[in-house]
Amino acid sequence: MSKTYYDPADLRKFGNITEWNEELGNKFFEYYGKVFEEGALTAREKSLIALAVAHTEQCPYCIDAYTKDGLQKGVTKEEMMEAIHVGAAIKSGATLVHGVQMMNKVNKLDG
Amino acid sequence: MTKVKTQSLQKKGSDLAQSNRQLEILSNGIFKSGELPTFKDKISETSQFPLKAKKLEILQINVGYMCNQVCDHCHVDAGPDRKEIMTRETMRQCLDVIKNSGAHTLDLTGGAPEMNPDFRWFVEEAAKVGIKDFIVRSNLTIIRANKKYYDLPEFFKKHNVHVVSSMPHWTKGKTDKQRGDGVFAKSIKALQELNAVGYGMPGSALKLDLVYNPSGAFLPGDQAAMEKDFKKALMEDFGIEFHNLFAITNLPIARFLDFLIASENYEDYMYQLVEAYNPSAVTNVMCTNTLSISWDGYLFDCDFNQMLELPVNSKSKHISKFNEELLEGRNIVISQHCYGCTAGAGSSCQGVVA
């Protein structure tokens, strides 16, 4: 039994989730593959979005996967870091915008 | 941070300069334990073993391992300290073969082929044969390395040579990281000089193609998408034109293998190659229509086998005993490095194959 919650080698086993529910697993991977195809956005742009979301979701598997994917697509480290800042800005903005709710409540309760 | 790259593995006395040590690594570990299938087992699944040579189309001649650069990924372990250089005598034997063989493409590689003292003589003689596609793999910086090379663009033009050059990225940081400090600036200047004499221009018969191979332990992205990005960036930033981009996978041998092991990426990289295995790439893998000739005239299925010292499986083993009939249909010599040519869309000296 693994002594840590995350094992990098588990990422290679991602496809195994279909073993316990083939229909839903296959539907998911089909959808996933379709999402990342070149569309209105380039595959490169999608990779950068995925990298930013991987960080906001704090998913170590996704961070490994989309860092490598970005390198494969010629994405530079400067572009990767900027993408992560976009994710971080939204994440912190999402926290801070709730400050308005706090202010509203204070104003209501305490004048 | 970039670094000054100076010595080959051979000069450093590294274990990995020895081909048998590399082959041992490629046969042991995850392949010996059965964790990953050997290349032989993998191609056997689709009844593609043994891999057979078809009709010879491309003669790839390595005129020497000497190079003005010491790139991180180099499968030749080339560098200024390598002294293996093809003699004019061996070149003469190659010319006889070029004249008489059915190959339509001649591909000169190295090291930096231009550093061979008989390079120009060989190009002049080979150009007279009138082969359909005459490629020289130029690392670009050689054109700016010394005054005696400044006229290379004109020389290439005079002999209608097809120039194929390595360019790992369109940014300075990634290029210099892989190929050494200052390489990017010199490469850009060399490309501009090639453009100035007509190479790579839209509609020009003077062909200029670039080779992209990844700067680290990852596979190349989609060739067409990379070509688009390269074209856009090189045009916008430097006004540079070129024809095609070939995306080539790094094979786990020589300095790239050394890097994979030192950075603890070896197993993960082999997993990537095996997982990306594409049986349809096997059909067109370059060893089936190419013959690689070493600086001392020996024959190999490809330049990678040459570096691993795996000679052709044929009685015709040397350029002096070249026999096209004997070589056709020979069994290709394989090991786990071959996964590099069958991953994804496949990889060859002319880019993707599937």
Side-chain angles (χ1 to χ4, degrees):
Chain A
M1 192 69 185
S2 172
K3 286 184 181 164
T4 58
Y5 284 105
Y6 291 114
D7 179 353
D10 282 349
L11 179 55
R12 292 185 200 128
K13 301 175 192 159
F14 189 13
N16 297 357
I17 65 154
T18 55
E19 287 172 12
W20 289 7
N21 191 324
E22 199 178 343
E23 188 196 355
L24 293 180
N26 286 342
K27 277 187 192 297
F28 165 76
F29 283 116
E30 191 190 334
Y31 165 76
Y32 192 98
K34 198 80 194 156
V35 164
F36 281 94
E37 280 176 10
E38 195 100 7
L41 295 175
T42 63
R44 195 174 191 276
E45 287 164 339
K46 289 181 185 186
S47 181
L48 276 166
I49 294 170
L51 183 72
V53 177
H55 280 77
T56 60
E57 291 298 310
Q58 298 179 341
C59 166
Y61 299 116
C62 316
I63 292 169
D64 268 10
Y66 283 95
T67 301
K68 188 184 285 177
D69 187 68
L71 288 169
Q72 288 180 348
K73 290 180 167 61
V75 174
T76 63
K77 55 189 178 188
E78 291 80 8
E79 290 172 312
M80 288 190 200
M81 188 54 87
E82 267 189 37
I84 292 170
H85 275 292
V86 173
I90 293 297
K91 198 84 174 163
S92 54
T95 303
L96 284 170
V97 74
H98 286 83
V100 178
Q101 189 182 344
M102 175 271 288
M103 290 164 77
N104 288 344
K105 195 71 178 172
V106 168
N107 288 338
K108 186 178 176 187
L109 295 176
D110 201 25
Chain B
M1 183 167 150
T2 57
K3 51 195 171 189
V4 178
K5 300 166 195 292
T6 54
Q7 286 190 329
S8 66
L9 292 175
Q10 192 192 61
K11 177 80 175 174
K12 286 181 200 164
S14 163
D15 250 17
L16 282 175
Q18 306 302 319
S19 58
N20 54 5
R21 179 67 191 126
Q22 296 176 49
L23 287 165
E24 209 175 274
I25 291 167
L26 289 167
S27 300
N28 290 340
I30 41 180
F31 292 101
K32 194 168 188 178
S33 69
E35 192 176 328
L36 287 177
T38 62
F39 189 71
K40 180 185 170 185
D41 288 346
K42 198 72 184 169
I43 63 172
S44 296
E45 286 173 13
T46 42
S47 309
Q48 286 167 298
F49 178 82
L51 200 54
K52 295 261 185 199
K54 296 182 271 199
K55 193 175 154 25
L56 178 65
E57 295 183 60
I58 303 166
L59 272 172
Q60 188 173 63
I61 302 180
N62 193 315
V63 297
Y65 303 159
M66 186 181 279
C67 190
N68 58 317
Q69 291 181 186
V70 189
C71 303
D72 275 349
H73 63 267
C74 184
H75 71 276
V76 178
D77 190 28
D81 54 59
R82 297 300 299 260
K83 307 299 178 207
E84 299 89 338
I85 289 285
M86 184 176 276
T87 62
R88 194 178 281 212
E89 178 52 30
T90 307
M91 286 177 173
R92 280 189 215 281
Q93 292 171 332
C94 290
L95 285 169
D96 282 343
V97 170
I98 297 161
K99 280 174 198 156
N100 300 313
S101 93
H104 56 63
T105 298
L106 175 62
D107 187 343
L108 298 192
T109 187
E114 302 93 332
M115 290 179 86
N116 182 309
D118 290 314
F119 170 75
R120 292 192 192 222
W121 174 83
F122 191 38
V123 169
E124 282 162 7
E125 294 301 312
K128 288 179 196 163
V129 180
I131 204 149
K132 197 172 143 203
D133 191 8
F134 185 4
I135 297 169
V136 171
R137 293 188 185 264
S138 176
N139 69 19
L140 293 176
T141 63
I142 192 72
I143 296 173
R144 301 302 308 163
N146 185 299
K147 266 190 204 163
K148 67 179 176 182
Y149 299 121
Y150 286 0
D151 66 332
L152 276 171
E154 287 290 352
F155 176 78
F156 290 147
K157 180 180 179 175
K158 187 177 168 197
H159 298 288
N160 197 25
V161 162
H162 172 179
V163 178
V164 176
S165 295
S166 292
M167 194 77 189
H169 204 263
W170 57 83
T171 59
K172 179 179 178 296
K174 292 199 80 156
T175 303
D176 286 359
K177 179 184 160 289
Q178 184 190 74
R179 296 174 77 78
D181 234 353
V183 166
F184 184 73
K186 279 187 192 163
S187 301
I188 291 297
K189 180 92 177 102
L191 284 172
Q192 287 167 334
E193 287 172 1
L194 285 163
N195 277 172
V197 300
Y199 269 101
M201 305 308 281
S204 170
L206 296 169
K207 294 287 287 176
L208 172 62
D209 296 327
L210 297 185
V211 166
Y212 160 82
N213 61 319
S215 54
F218 50 93
L219 306 185
D222 176 70
Q223 181 171 280
M226 295 292 292
E227 181 180 287
K228 211 167 139 191
D229 290 339
F230 263 86
K231 286 202 165 181
K232 185 170 181 284
L234 288 179
M235 174 46 72
E236 281 178 8
D237 297 347
F238 307 103
I240 288 170
E241 307 254 22
F242 67 95
H243 291 131
N244 302 301
L245 181 86
F246 303 147
I248 298 187
T249 303
N250 286 311
L251 263 67
I253 70 166
R255 287 214 282 272
F256 190 66
L257 179 60
D258 181 56
F259 156 74
L260 289 176
I261 293 170
S263 60
E264 297 181 356
N265 278 307
Y266 171 72
E267 287 193 6
D268 187 51
Y269 192 72
M270 296 314 289
Y271 262 96
Q272 283 183 70
L273 291 181
V274 176
E275 281 167 4
Y277 172 78
N278 177 1
S280 62
V282 179
T283 317
N284 297 318
V285 77
M286 71 172 177
C287 51
T288 58
N289 68 349
T290 303
L291 203 57
S292 158
I293 302 161
S294 64
W295 64 278
D296 50 357
Y298 285 93
L299 310 180
F300 300 86
D301 296 316
C302 67
D303 207 45
F304 303 107
N305 278 7
Q306 182 184 141
M307 301 315 148
L308 289 171
E309 298 178 278
L310 296 170
V312 281
N313 184 3
S314 165
K315 281 182 183 160
S316 176
K317 284 194 187 305
H318 192 267
I319 194 77
S320 58
K321 304 236 167 16
F322 184 86
N323 182 324
E324 200 162 342
E325 277 177 29
L326 273 181
L327 287 159
E328 194 170 325
R330 73 186 184 277
N331 290 348
I332 302 290
V333 181
I334 57 169
S335 181
Q336 281 49 262
H337 64 293
C338 302
Y339 274 118
C341 290
T342 58
S347 177
S348 77
C349 291
Q350 272 76 34
V352 299
V353 296

